[in-house]
Amino acid sequence: MNNEQIILGLLYKHSRTGYELNEVFKNIFSHFYDASFGMIYPTLRRLEKNGLVSKKMVVQSGRPNKNQYAITEEGKKVFEDSLDASVVPDTRHSDFLMRLYFGEYESDTALQAMIQQQIGWLGMQIDKLQLRLKEWPNMTKTQHLSFSVGIAEYEAQIKTLKAYLQTDEQKGNDSEHR
């Protein structure tokens, strides 16, 4: 799905501000989709220009006014059509995996430290996702499934990295005994 389709999906059930959309990307989608205000607001402007969302200014007392965005009927149709399209294969952009690929140029100590750091980061991501599952008990079954897949992916990475460290440690011990 592209940015426009995702934002239409987020507006499908109820209107939201740009800030609220950013919070969803940051707190709910963080394990599988990267977005920022720099993507959200231009996308909202395009959607509004194309008649797929409407904007309503909400006047607030003692605070800046805010824009509330709502999906239009045409926007709903575009979103529904996007759900019927073929799924695009995942792409991945991982600084860690790229550095790991070139790990032959690192010392064993630096490589092991990088892997340990990644294991720690992955553990924190698992904790965040599990906490969100507890905080949001009314998730749909497919929303819950997306979190469960994220947790399983992180757990599989940890298992693989720990197995490597253990194997690498054993190789080091074997060479010391010769």
Side-chain angles (χ1 to χ4, degrees):
M1 297 183 84
N2 66 34
N3 296 337
E4 291 182 1
Q5 295 162 339
I6 293 166
I7 288 177
L8 289 172
L10 290 172
L11 297 174
Y12 198 84
K13 288 186 180 176
H14 61 279
S15 61
R16 298 175 195 251
T17 64
Y19 176 82
E20 291 167 334
L21 290 168
N22 187 59
E23 288 298 301
V24 171
F25 281 106
K26 200 167 71 177
N27 294 313
I28 298 175
F29 294 172
S30 64
H31 70 284
F32 62 91
Y33 201 83
D34 190 25
S36 67
F37 284 122
M39 176 281 287
I40 294 168
Y41 286 107
T43 302
L44 285 168
R45 283 191 292 277
R46 267 192 317 279
L47 290 169
E48 183 184 17
K49 180 181 173 192
N50 294 330
L52 303 178
V53 300
S54 61
K55 177 174 70 173
K56 174 183 162 189
M57 183 179 291
V58 177
V59 178
Q60 302 184 107
S61 143
R63 297 172 61 186
N65 297 337
K66 62 183 180 181
N67 292 320
Q68 190 86 22
Y69 296 88
I71 193 169
T72 63
E73 287 304 314
E74 181 61 25
K76 286 182 178 183
K77 182 174 177 356
V78 168
F79 174 70
E80 290 164 357
D81 289 346
S82 75
L83 293 175
D84 294 332
S86 297
V87 174
V88 176
D90 289 350
T91 57
R92 186 150 188 210
H93 200 94
S94 171
D95 187 58
F96 170 75
L97 290 177
M98 192 55 69
R99 288 172 187 260
L100 191 60
Y101 181 85
F102 292 112
E104 67 185 285
Y105 304 111
E106 288 281 0
S107 69
D108 286 344
T109 304
L111 186 59
Q112 288 177 356
M114 180 180 68
I115 291 170
Q116 288 289 1
Q117 182 180 11
Q118 183 70 4
I119 290 170
W121 181 84
L122 291 165
M124 289 187 315
Q125 300 313 302
I126 291 168
D127 291 345
K128 283 183 193 175
L129 292 177
Q130 289 174 334
L131 179 63
R132 289 182 185 134
L133 282 173
K134 289 177 187 168
E135 290 174 344
W136 300 319
N138 297 328
M139 282 186 170
T140 67
K141 65 182 180 181
T142 55
Q143 290 168 342
H144 192 280
L145 179 60
S146 76
F147 272 65
S148 297
V149 167
I151 291 168
E153 286 178 354
Y154 290 149
E155 288 172 341
Q157 289 178 50
I158 288 173
K159 180 180 176 185
T160 302
L161 293 171
K162 283 183 175 180
Y164 170 82
L165 288 176
Q166 187 175 18
T167 302
D168 196 47
E169 203 173 276
Q170 287 173 348
K171 284 181 185 176
N173 290 338
D174 290 346
S175 64
E176 287 174 14
H177 294 299
R178 290 186 185 159

